[in-house]
Amino acid sequence: MISLKDFNDSLLSFLDNSPTPFHAVNNVKGMLDNYGFVELFEENIWQLEYGKSYYVIRDDSSIIAWHFPKDRDDYIIAGSHSDSPNLKLKPNPVSKEEGLYKFNVEPYGGLLLNPWFDRDLSLAGRVEYKDEKNNLKTAIVDFKEPLAVIPSLAIHLDDKANKDKTINKQTDISPVFLNCIDQFDFDRFVLEKLKKEGYKAKEVLAYELSFYDTQKASYVGMEKNFITSARLDNLLSVYVSLLAICSVTPDTPFMMVVNNHEEVGSESVAGASGNFLESVLKRIFKDDEKFAIIASKSILVSCDNAHATHPNFASKHEPSHKIRLDGGVVIKVNANQR
């Protein structure tokens, strides 16, 4: 049985090493491999054996893993998501302003913009490139070191900063990274990173890169009983689901589903509104009658983070449904079925 300290230490490590959905899914894959799960690929024919455990990845950012016991038709399915709000790099990534190079970014998901100012920011994500033999390849990269900062406007130039602060998403949140006295080619910059990582890259073709705060996940509080970190929503649920499926025996009808793009509505091929889960279940249970029984008798738990009642803004919360830290599992109910 894992201790609370070991659980939290491992969680913090998972958070720090998963700056993007691509890294999170790759880390999940690594742990599943260590526990004897067999990787499958959507483009291949599946030959499943009872008593074994499997997983499949879609778009490098969504993953489904399951045990395959014989004569069980009542799966427990834990669903979570791999993405978190962030600042994504635009396709035309660099611009110049007042003698400085800036990155062009777009907010992804419902994020608070103010906390992104004056942070040490790095880049991570997925890069598509052409190797020395002109083969198309994919790399998951993390620059790790601070590359840029979004500087706040000095209080002397904005006397309403503490009263009426508004942020223009198009102009105010561009990370600054280099003086224009130097020439800068972003594709070459990424190419050099790939080569340093050991990839035999010849040309960068495309990328999906996001900024993240380099500050590590940590314990805070007088007794170190709080955890602060980016991406707790929803890598905490991903981590809990991963521990759960690795802790039960292969004769347990358990499945974990991790989808990307929840923060932007899930309407994608890798999102929960796509066909990933349905496709996997239909390939496991090829008979239509068997699939219908499984779908009817199984239970899917949507695992996400809940907002505890904020001690400084208690009036913003439902007064008869307050949620307290360390109060246990929260069950969310919504009349609009969300």
Side-chain angles (χ1 to χ4, degrees):
M1 187 71 174
I2 187 172
S3 70
L4 181 59
K5 180 67 165 58
D6 288 342
F7 173 90
N8 287 333
D9 287 347
S10 297
L11 170 63
L12 265 59
S13 177
F14 180 68
L15 291 165
D16 288 338
N17 289 293
S18 303
T20 73
F22 310 114
H23 292 83
V25 166
N26 195 51
N27 289 329
V28 169
K29 166 184 163 58
M31 187 164 174
L32 293 175
D33 287 340
N34 288 338
Y35 275 80
F37 283 70
V38 178
E39 183 174 10
L40 302 173
F41 300 90
E42 288 195 278
E43 63 268 26
N44 295 343
I45 295 174
W46 293 1
Q47 300 291 344
L48 306 182
E49 298 180 31
Y50 290 118
K52 290 192 174 183
S53 304
Y54 300 92
Y55 70 89
V56 60
I57 296 172
R58 177 179 285 192
D59 192 42
D60 299 321
S61 61
S62 296
I63 186 168
I64 296 178
W66 68 97
H67 298 303
F68 191 42
K70 190 174 183 179
D71 298 327
R72 294 300 298 266
D73 54 11
D74 53 347
Y75 266 76
I76 296 174
I77 305 172
S80 57
H81 64 92
S82 59
D83 60 325
S84 302
N86 64 76
L87 295 176
K88 279 192 178 294
L89 200 63
K90 288 184 176 181
N92 185 9
V94 175
S95 60
K96 296 180 181 180
E97 191 80 30
E98 302 300 332
L100 294 171
Y101 280 109
K102 303 189 304 182
F103 285 117
N104 301 317
V105 295
E106 179 180 4
Y108 172 89
L111 75 166
L112 285 169
L113 291 175
N114 275 310
W116 286 85
F117 285 89
D118 306 313
R119 300 276 186 162
D120 296 337
L121 303 178
S122 189
L123 271 175
R126 176 173 62 180
V127 178
E128 309 292 339
Y129 67 94
K130 188 182 295 184
D131 70 8
E132 296 169 342
K133 297 181 179 180
N134 289 325
N135 296 313
L136 299 181
K137 299 286 186 176
T138 299
I140 308 301
V141 299
D142 181 0
F143 287 86
K144 294 185 178 180
E145 63 182 4
L147 298 176
V149 64
I150 305 173
S152 295
L153 182 63
I155 187 70
H156 314 79
L157 303 176
D158 185 6
D159 59 2
K160 296 182 179 179
N162 293 323
K163 300 176 183 177
D164 186 24
K165 179 66 175 179
T166 58
I167 300 172
N168 186 314
K169 294 186 291 185
Q170 188 68 27
T171 60
D172 296 351
I173 57 170
S174 298
V176 175
F177 70 96
L178 188 65
N179 195 304
C180 283
I181 60 173
D182 299 310
Q183 293 298 315
F184 182 75
D185 184 319
F186 184 73
D187 282 3
R188 181 175 294 277
F189 173 69
V190 175
L191 185 63
E192 290 303 315
K193 172 64 175 177
L194 293 177
K195 290 181 178 179
K196 287 180 181 178
E197 295 289 325
Y199 297 101
K200 298 184 181 300
K202 183 178 74 172
E203 180 184 358
V204 172
L205 302 176
Y207 35 77
E208 184 176 344
L209 297 171
S210 301
F211 282 96
Y212 71 93
D213 185 358
T214 57
Q215 180 172 326
K216 300 290 187 182
S218 62
Y219 298 104
V220 300
M222 294 289 289
E223 298 181 355
K224 308 298 183 186
N225 55 351
F226 299 110
I227 287 175
T228 59
S229 175
R231 302 178 296 281
L232 276 169
D233 177 10
N234 184 33
L235 294 188
L236 172 59
S237 300
V238 173
Y239 182 69
V240 170
S241 301
L242 177 61
L243 288 189
I245 199 168
C246 291
S247 298
V248 297
T249 58
D251 61 353
T252 305
F254 188 90
M255 173 180 285
M256 68 172 289
V257 180
V258 180
N259 285 112
N260 194 10
H261 300 142
E262 187 274 346
E263 295 290 348
V264 290
S266 299
E267 301 289 341
S268 74
V269 69
S273 292
N275 74 334
F276 192 22
L277 175 57
E278 180 182 6
S279 172
V280 168
L281 286 174
K282 285 185 174 180
R283 295 185 73 171
I284 298 173
F285 307 103
K286 298 179 174 61
D287 179 81
D288 288 343
E289 191 78 8
K290 183 70 171 176
F291 170 76
I293 293 172
I294 290 289
S296 177
K297 296 181 69 174
S298 298
I299 181 171
L300 190 152
V301 179
S302 178
C303 305
D304 209 337
N305 286 40
H307 298 286
T309 302
H310 197 302
N312 295 339
F313 301 94
S315 63
K316 296 291 186 180
H317 298 263
E318 168 63 51
S320 59
H321 295 80
K322 290 188 176 182
I323 299 170
R324 303 203 181 281
L325 288 175
D326 291 332
V329 172
V330 177
I331 299 176
K332 295 184 181 182
V333 179
N334 189 296
N336 293 313
Q337 303 301 301
R338 296 299 300 168

